[in-house]
Amino acid sequence: QVQLVESGGGLVQPGGSLRLSCAASGFTVSSYAMRWYRQAPGKERELVARITSAGGSTNYADSVKGRFTISRDNAKNTVYLQMNTLKPEDTAVYYCNCPVLGSWGQGIQVTVSS
């Protein structure tokens, strides 16, 4: 059974950092492209970052470029999103996604506030 489970969210002050984890089961993350999305209240879900399978090339939304980093630990079968210099506008529910398999995590809340 394919499953994605996010962790690592929470409340952080502006300028702070968080690292989100997406633990996969039922498939091997190194064999698939993986993505992180987010959805803020009243807004549509937006693509934040993605990483390809072979080679591990990455792409980011302009709003997070230079602050967020997507990575993958094949031994742990986990995808990460390192978020630095967080801003209040980064507040959202963050979701891990495998587009080929159509799998989504349950989402995890990130709140940036003083």
Side-chain angles (χ1 to χ4, degrees):
Q1 180 180 359
V2 173
Q3 191 174 17
L4 298 171
V5 178
E6 298 102 336
S7 61
L11 173 64
V12 63
Q13 292 187 344
S17 298
L18 282 175
R19 188 178 77 160
L20 303 183
S21 299
C22 171
S25 58
F27 72 104
T28 303
V29 295
S30 61
S31 298
Y32 294 88
M34 297 293 295
R35 297 175 178 175
W36 284 97
Y37 285 79
R38 69 184 180 186
Q39 188 166 19
K43 295 188 176 181
E44 293 187 356
R45 191 170 296 188
E46 66 168 333
L47 177 62
V48 173
R50 55 186 176 185
I51 185 168
T52 62
S53 54
S57 297
T58 58
N59 294 95
Y60 301 91
D62 287 343
S63 58
V64 307
K65 201 171 294 182
R67 299 187 299 121
F68 289 13
T69 303
I70 187 171
S71 63
R72 183 174 58 217
D73 185 329
N74 295 336
K76 295 183 178 179
N77 209 33
T78 298
V79 178
Y80 300 100
L81 185 67
Q82 178 68 43
M83 305 185 294
N84 299 327
T85 319
L86 283 161
K87 304 176 182 180
E89 51 263 43
D90 295 318
T91 296
V93 178
Y94 284 72
Y95 298 88
C96 181
N97 166 250
C98 178
V100 172
L101 298 178
S103 299
W104 292 87
Q106 81 283 2
I108 191 158
Q109 178 70 45
V110 171
T111 303
V112 185
S113 175
S114 55

